[in-house]
């Protein structure tokens, strides 16, 4: 069952998060040809300091073949 996990800097409204989740679920079901009933989505907010650890764990330390969209920024610039 597909699960979408979004981790991002805080500051988006609940309405933005709901619209994002709906758009991601719609795209995923179209691309994977699966039912929306099998898809889940979580969204987690972090401040700039917390993001440093998330970036390290979720992006920097992942094998490069698992990161399908590479970062084009230095997370330290967010501090």
């Amino acid at each position: 069952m597909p699960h979408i996990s979004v981790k991002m800097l805080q500051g988006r409204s609940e309405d933005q998060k709901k619209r994002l989740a709906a758009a991601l679920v719609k795209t995923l079901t179209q691309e994977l040809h699966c039912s929306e009933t099998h898809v889940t989505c979580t969204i987690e907010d972090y401040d700039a300091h917390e993001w440093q650890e998330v970036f390290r764990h979720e992006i920097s330390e992942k094998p490069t073949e698992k990161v399908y969209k590479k970062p084009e920024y230095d997370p330290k610039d967010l501090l």
Side-chain angles (χ1 to χ4, degrees):
M1 302 307 152
H3 173 71
I4 303 164
S5 176
V6 177
K7 295 175 170 123
M8 62 186 179
L9 287 181
Q10 60 193 15
R12 276 70 172 206
S13 69
E14 284 301 308
D15 188 54
Q16 287 174 307
K17 292 175 193 176
K18 287 176 183 175
R19 287 194 324 265
L20 173 62
L24 291 170
V25 168
K26 180 179 179 181
T27 299
L28 187 142
T29 58
Q30 289 173 344
E31 292 298 320
L32 298 182
H33 306 286
C34 66
S35 170
E36 190 174 305
T37 61
H38 296 110
V39 178
T40 55
C41 180
T42 58
I43 298 177
E44 299 174 71
D45 294 321
Y46 298 89
D47 67 28
H49 291 285
E50 294 168 325
W51 185 251
Q52 305 304 304
E53 180 64 21
V54 172
F55 187 92
R56 184 184 65 73
H57 183 263
E58 295 290 328
I59 301 167
S60 298
E61 292 181 351
K62 292 269 187 203
T64 57
E65 66 272 7
K66 298 229 181 224
V67 181
Y68 284 83
K69 168 59 174 85
K70 310 293 189 245
E72 297 178 28
Y73 71 99
D74 183 341
K76 292 182 181 109
D77 292 342
L78 302 171
L79 297 173

